[in-house]
Amino acid sequence: MSVTNIVDWDSRTNVGAESAELPAIDEFIAGVLLRAHQTVEPLRSPSEARTILRVAHLFADELERMDLPFDRIQFIEASTELPSHA
């Protein structure tokens, strides 16, 4: 997944018509964490990046407890993925 397609990302595997109309909380959280990760990346600050990763895992823990389909790996990747410098 690239940073440019975060808007199209949906970690829910089974989306009903009603929930498809509302922005998913997991997507919102992943976007906020991604922006935080992008902010610290130019600073080359590994401790801040690790902290953001820990926060992403804490959110993932809580989201998994909800009674909704949730893809933890995709959420973590979307929360922390940075563009490649290739």
Side-chain angles (χ1 to χ4, degrees), residues 2-17:
S2 72
V3 173
T4 57
N5 69 0
I6 187 82
V7 174
D8 297 327
W9 171 65
D10 185 353
S11 69
R12 297 161 297 165
T13 56
N14 185 12
V15 179

Side-chain angles (χ1 to χ4, degrees), residues 1-4 34 37-38 41 44 77 80-86:
M1 169 185 296
S2 72
V3 173
T4 57
L34 179 63
H37 199 74
Q38 290 170 332
E41 194 274 336
R44 305 269 188 233
E77 288 175 352
T80 58
E81 187 175 82
L82 294 173
S84 65
H85 297 283

Side-chain angles (χ1 to χ4, degrees), residues 10-79:
D10 185 353
S11 69
R12 297 161 297 165
T13 56
N14 185 12
V15 179
E18 292 175 357
S19 62
E21 295 175 10
L22 301 173
I25 190 70
D26 55 346
E27 293 174 29
F28 175 76
I29 294 168
V32 170
L33 292 171
L34 179 63
R35 286 189 295 281
H37 199 74
Q38 290 170 332
T39 300
V40 300
E41 194 274 336
L43 304 174
R44 305 269 188 233
S45 183
S47 63
E48 281 87 353
R50 278 192 298 274
T51 299
I52 294 166
L53 178 60
R54 285 186 198 120
V55 170
H57 278 283
L58 290 172
F59 272 112
D61 291 344
E62 294 302 317
L63 290 167
E64 282 183 333
R65 289 185 184 107
M66 298 175 72
D67 190 24
L68 297 171
F70 175 71
D71 184 334
R72 181 187 187 94
I73 304 260
Q74 189 174 14
F75 174 80
I76 297 296
E77 288 175 352
S79 299

